[in-house]
C-alpha cells in the first residue's frame, strides 16, 4: 500500500519478527495517538510460552488461540468506538486474515528488519521468554505483507521516535 493512501484505522497492528521492535513501537504509537495498547506477547497461553522458552517454535495450530485472544482484545475497544494499537508478530497472511475476522479495518505496520539485527536484539533482551535461537524460525515462517494488504512497511532499524513520528504525521496528513 502506498503511504499516500494510508489513512488512520480504528485498529493498528504493529507486526514483524521477534526483535523488530513491535512492543516498543506499538506502545509509543498508542501513547502518541491516545489509544488503547494491546501487548500480544502477554496473551500467549502458558503452554506456548513454555514451548518458546525451551526453544520450540510454535505451529499454526498453537498460534490459533493466541491470535483469537488478540483479535478479541482488538475488537472490544473498536466495538466501543475506541482506537487500538496492538503488537503481534502476524507473520503469515493467514494470521493477518484471522485478526481481520475480528476487526475488518486493521492497518498493519510491518517493521522490516534483517536476521542479524533481530538476533542481536533478541539476544540482548532481559526477562523475555523468546530466545534468540527462535529468530531463524520466525524468518522461515514470515510471509511479508503483499501489495494488496492494508500495510505500511517501515525500517525497524530506525529510532522508535522517528517511526512513530512518521506514522502519526502520515495519519494527520491523510485524515
Amino acid at each position: 500500500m502506498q503511504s499516500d493512501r494510508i489513512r488512520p484505522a480504528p485498529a493498528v497492528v504493529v507486526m514483524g519478527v521477534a526483535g523488530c521492535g513491535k512492543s516498543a513501537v506499538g506502545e509509543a504509537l498508542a501513547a502518541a495517538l491516545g489509544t488503547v495498547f494491546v501487548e500480544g506477547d502477554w496473551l500467549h497461553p502458558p503452554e506456548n510460552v513454555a514451548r518458546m522458552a525451551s526453544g520450540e517454535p510454535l505451529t499454526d495450530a498453537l498460534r490459533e488461540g493466541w491470535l483469537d485472544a488478540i483479535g478479541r482484545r482488538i475488537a472490544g475497544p473498536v466495538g466501543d468506538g475506541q482506537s487500538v494499537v496492538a503488537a503481534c508478530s502476524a507473520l503469515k497472511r493467514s494470521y493477518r486474515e484471522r485478526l481481520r475476522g475480528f476487526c475488518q479495518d486493521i492497518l498493519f505496520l510491518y517493521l522490516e528488519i534483517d536476521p542479524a539485527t533481530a538476533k542481536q536484539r533478541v539476544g540482548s533482551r532481559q526477562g523475555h521468554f523468546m530466545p534468540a535461537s527462535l529468530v531463524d524460525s520466525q524468518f522461515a515462517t514470515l510471509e511479508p505483507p503483499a501489495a494488496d494488504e492494508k500495510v505500511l512497511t517501515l525500517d525497524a532499524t530506525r529510532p522508535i521516535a522517528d517511526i512513530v513520528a512518521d506514522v502519526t504525521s502520515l495519519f494527520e496528513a491523510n485524515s
Side-chain angles (χ1 to χ4, degrees):
M1 171 172 257
Q2 297 294 337
S3 63
D4 60 345
R5 295 187 310 153
I6 295 294
R7 62 175 178 70
V12 175
V13 173
V14 184
M15 64 159 290
V17 299
C20 71
K22 295 180 295 291
S23 298
V25 169
E27 198 168 1
L29 182 61
L33 297 173
T35 64
V36 175
F37 177 64
V38 174
E39 175 51 77
D41 278 348
W42 308 129
L43 296 175
H44 277 292
E47 305 81 40
N48 284 5
V49 172
R51 280 185 175 92
M52 288 183 284
S54 70
E56 181 185 335
L58 298 181
T59 63
D60 289 351
L62 290 171
R63 285 184 173 105
E64 288 177 355
W66 170 67
L67 291 165
D68 290 349
I70 295 169
R72 286 189 295 272
R73 290 289 299 272
I74 291 170
V78 169
D80 292 337
Q82 293 181 303
S83 296
V84 176
V85 174
C88 172
S89 56
L91 297 173
K92 289 185 176 182
R93 184 182 189 115
S94 62
Y95 303 167
R96 296 185 290 275
E97 291 304 321
R98 191 174 190 101
L99 292 172
R100 284 191 179 104
F102 289 89
C103 177
Q104 196 62 31
D105 196 10
I106 295 176
L107 170 65
F108 287 92
L109 299 182
Y110 171 41
L111 299 181
E112 193 171 40
I113 194 168
D114 64 276
T117 303
K119 283 181 193 175
Q120 183 276 322
R121 286 182 177 182
V122 172
S124 67
R125 291 196 296 205
Q126 299 294 314
H128 195 280
F129 57 81
M130 173 73 85
S133 63
L134 287 180
V135 172
D136 287 336
S137 71
Q138 294 256 300
F139 277 96
T141 302
L142 178 64
E143 295 172 1
D148 67 330
E149 293 185 74
K150 187 176 178 184
V151 64
L152 178 61
T153 300
L154 302 162
D155 178 355
T157 64
R158 295 180 59 230
I160 293 166
D162 292 352
I163 293 171
V164 170
D166 285 353
V167 173
T168 55
S169 293
L170 223 83
F171 282 1
E172 290 166 3
N174 293 303
S175 42

